[in-house]
Amino acid sequence: MHSFGYRANALLTFAVTILAIMCALVSLSDNLNTPSPSAQIQVLNINWFQKQPHGNDEVSLTMNITADLQSLFTWNTKQVFVFVAAEYETAKNSLNQVSLWDAIIPAKEHANFWIQTANKYRFVDQGSGLRGKKFNLTLHWHVMPKTGKMFADKLVMSGYRLPEEYR
Amino acid sequence: MGWIGETVDSIKSIQIRQLLNQVISLGMIVTSALIIWKALMCITGSESPVVVVLSGSMEPGFKRGDILFLHMSKDPIRAGEIVVFNVDGREIPIVHRVIKVHERQDTGEVDVLTKGDNNYGDDRLLYAQGQDWLQRHHIMGRAVGFLPYVGWVTIIMTEKPIIKYILIGALGLLVITSKD
């Protein structure tokens, strides 16, 4: 009854249980944080805008991204993945989301940033519906915890418009 | 005749009741594990509710050996979500992030493009030949939760089967020889 094996088993079970409860509590503690991030995106320039040989519209643009995501960080945050997506509706698709730029923020000190960049991923439509198209630029973030539940949210910025003509 | 009698006696001396007891308790352990797994499948709606990260393509977010909890709801797939998908002709599912979504106006079907956070380019090279987009049926679930390191147990066991057999043997021996 009180053999070595029995005691080792009891100790291991207890340790794993406590560890699991602690992980759960740490993950739950993330809910106490109410973040208030802010962001601003300006489209500085449409570098070029053309129709690909097989018929899809493609744009290259330069953006100015300013964001303060410091309030997303808690003691259980490993990193924040942040990305900017162009979102728009066309006759063919009820929703198009095209990721233009992304970054990994490893620590709170880097979460208040400013960057001027061209789109990192190609801004290609499915079809040729981009001329004169109104679109939103949405800053999404994905909080990856050290353990537990992942959080995601976004800030939508609207009122952007592509030119009527290819250039 | 004496020899046969002795053998029969020694077999009889194994208490049948105790043997049955141990067989049943072993069965209980196996079936309860099965019940938990199947219940998780029902709750999460995903055919494999827990996956182990096998590659470094999502580092530093997910490392090799981390465990992900999946959920497959009816909600539409959106950019930024981390999905687990199967590609035709590949056995091992891949865990990557959605970077592009095109949702059809008339049918509501989605075309999705994924990329690993730590990879330079998108996943078109990983997809089947000539495949540009993932559809809904390729996707097994989206990652909702995360637990570090625990997956190493399964990685070690699949890569070094000897350890698996030793462990199963030792556990089986323990259950059979335990006198409680």
Side-chain angles (χ1 to χ4, degrees):
Chain A
M1 192 65 184
H2 295 286
S3 65
F4 173 75
Y6 181 80
R7 287 179 181 181
N9 182 25
L11 189 69
L12 191 72
T13 314
F14 185 64
V16 168
T17 313
I18 293 293
L19 203 62
I21 291 173
M22 276 168 68
C23 285
L25 284 179
V26 165
S27 178
L28 281 174
S29 76
D30 276 345
N31 291 311
L32 300 176
N33 183 36
T34 43
S36 53
S38 64
Q40 247 187 332
I41 304 173
Q42 286 171 295
V43 176
L44 297 179
N45 188 32
I46 308 289
N47 302 325
W48 45 265
F49 181 21
Q50 64 187 33
K51 191 172 185 157
Q52 291 177 337
H54 42 272
N56 291 338
D57 278 358
E58 178 168 4
V59 193
S60 164
L61 42 81
T62 304
M63 294 172 290
N64 196 342
I65 304 164
T66 316
D68 181 2
L69 304 177
Q70 285 175 311
S71 59
L72 294 174
F73 281 80
T74 67
W75 66 329
N76 187 31
T77 305
K78 182 198 278 173
Q79 63 168 33
V80 171
F81 184 87
V82 58
F83 68 101
V84 172
E87 299 179 350
Y88 57 95
E89 190 185 340
T90 53
K92 183 185 175 194
N93 293 326
S94 57
L95 177 75
N96 299 277
Q97 287 183 307
V98 181
S99 188
L100 300 181
W101 171 87
D102 62 19
I104 292 168
I105 306 173
K108 193 171 184 173
E109 294 80 63
H110 303 113
N112 193 358
F113 64 92
W114 171 92
I115 185 172
Q116 182 174 323
T117 176
N119 49 318
K120 185 171 161 186
Y121 305 115
R122 299 173 68 184
F123 187 173
V124 184
D125 186 33
Q126 271 195 337
S128 60
L130 285 186
R131 271 172 299 173
K133 179 60 66 187
K134 272 171 123 174
F135 65 103
N136 293 341
L137 284 176
T138 308
L139 185 89
H140 295 257
W141 57 87
H142 198 116
V143 182
M144 293 159 106
K146 293 203 169 90
T147 179
K149 192 177 182 303
M150 299 186 270
F151 291 88
D153 208 348
K154 61 186 176 181
L155 273 174
V156 183
M157 280 150 278
S158 53
Y160 303 93
R161 198 180 195 106
L162 287 167
E164 299 284 347
E165 296 300 324
Y166 298 123
R167 58 166 87 161
Chain B
M1 279 308 276
W3 177 73
I4 293 176
E6 262 174 46
T7 317
V8 170
D9 277 349
S10 78
I11 289 175
K12 272 185 185 163
S13 74
I14 301 174
Q15 289 145 313
I16 300 233
R17 182 181 287 263
Q18 193 188 326
L19 194 76
L20 275 179
N21 220 338
Q22 272 148 9
V23 167
I24 287 171
S25 70
L26 194 68
M28 287 290 275
I29 294 170
V30 172
T31 44
S32 59
L34 199 70
I35 288 169
I36 291 171
W37 182 251
K38 291 286 172 187
L40 271 177
M41 272 173 79
C42 285
I43 294 165
T44 62
S46 175
E47 53 190 299
S48 61
V50 177
V51 292
V52 177
V53 179
L54 293 174
S55 83
S57 61
M58 286 296 280
E59 280 195 37
F62 303 147
K63 291 198 180 66
R64 191 170 148 79
D66 293 344
I67 273 190
L68 296 180
F69 298 93
L70 304 188
H71 187 76
M72 194 65 205
S73 58
K74 291 264 187 304
D75 297 342
I77 289 150
R78 290 292 175 253
E81 290 172 343
I82 298 168
V83 295
V84 179
F85 58 92
N86 270 312
V87 175
D88 309 323
R90 255 176 201 273
E91 271 179 35
I92 299 168
I94 303 173
V95 185
H96 280 175
R97 189 185 300 275
V98 174
I99 62 165
K100 290 184 186 183
V101 173
H102 295 284
E103 192 171 83
R104 210 71 74 243
Q105 191 86 259
D106 41 2
T107 56
E109 283 172 26
V110 281
D111 281 344
V112 167
L113 180 65
T114 53
K115 176 184 171 287
D117 289 357
N118 197 30
N119 290 354
Y120 180 73
D122 61 45
D123 285 348
R124 291 223 165 106
L125 289 171
L126 297 176
Y127 298 167
Q129 201 141 44
Q131 185 183 3
D132 278 346
W133 304 96
L134 292 179
Q135 267 84 41
R136 183 88 195 189
H137 66 266
H138 293 113
I139 292 170
M140 294 162 61
R142 68 193 92 199
V144 290
F146 169 82
L147 201 62
Y149 307 124
V150 182
W152 274 111
V153 181
T154 57
I155 292 185
I156 288 168
M157 282 197 205
T158 42
E159 287 183 357
K160 298 237 168 23
I162 285 269
I163 292 177
K164 178 166 66 182
Y165 298 133
I166 290 173
L167 210 68
I168 291 175
L171 279 179
L173 214 66
L174 212 69
V175 169
I176 289 170
T177 55
S178 70
K179 293 272 187 279
D180 304 328

